[in-house]
Amino acid sequence: MSVVDTIKEQLEANDILLYMKGTPRFPQCGFSSRASEAIMSCGARFAFVNILESPEIRAELPKYANWPTFPQLWIKGELVGGCDIIAEMAANGELKELIDSVVVDDDSAAN
């Protein structure tokens, strides 16, 4: 399987996915820390990929996403943005609304 196929598979399998340096509990950069904290404050579970342990994804994802930096938040297979966008959306309530809409969609699909 190619790296791009792996990325596509990860995006399809996870409605809320953060590509970051480190993990939410142990972020390895300030931007990843701020982004994961903002997402966690919304109260929903999310998946993450530690790009420091996946050098091939770290190299390929910026080309695939046309977004050069990490972290990258993806919701329902769509790139939301990086740390600044995530923080801005968290501050004005948009992030919680977006995440809540995904969680509601999942709950209704399960019934």
Side-chain angles (χ1 to χ4, degrees):
M1 181 182 303
S2 76
V3 176
V4 170
D5 288 337
T6 299
I7 291 168
K8 288 178 180 178
E9 190 175 88
Q10 290 170 338
L11 294 173
E12 288 173 16
N14 299 287
D15 288 341
I16 304 169
L17 179 58
L18 182 66
Y19 288 94
M20 64 181 293
K21 294 178 180 176
T23 68
R25 290 189 193 274
F26 300 103
Q28 298 294 306
C29 84
F31 298 112
S32 290
S33 177
R34 286 180 44 212
S36 61
E37 285 175 14
I39 299 164
M40 286 188 287
S41 73
C42 295
R45 295 177 58 96
F46 65 97
F48 67 91
V49 174
N50 179 354
I51 59 150
L52 298 177
E53 294 179 350
S54 303
E56 62 284 343
I57 290 175
R58 183 179 187 179
E60 197 61 40
L61 186 62
K63 294 180 260 184
Y64 176 81
N66 199 24
W67 191 269
T69 60
F70 293 97
Q72 292 184 15
L73 175 62
W74 293 74
I75 295 183
K76 291 281 194 183
E78 298 289 324
L79 177 63
V80 174
C83 180
D84 291 343
I85 291 170
I86 295 165
E88 182 180 317
M89 289 178 71
N92 67 24
E94 288 178 50
L95 185 62
K96 180 151 177 50
E97 285 179 24
L98 180 59
I99 287 175
D100 285 351
S101 73
V102 170
V103 173
V104 167
D105 287 350
D106 286 350
D107 289 345
S108 59
N111 295 331

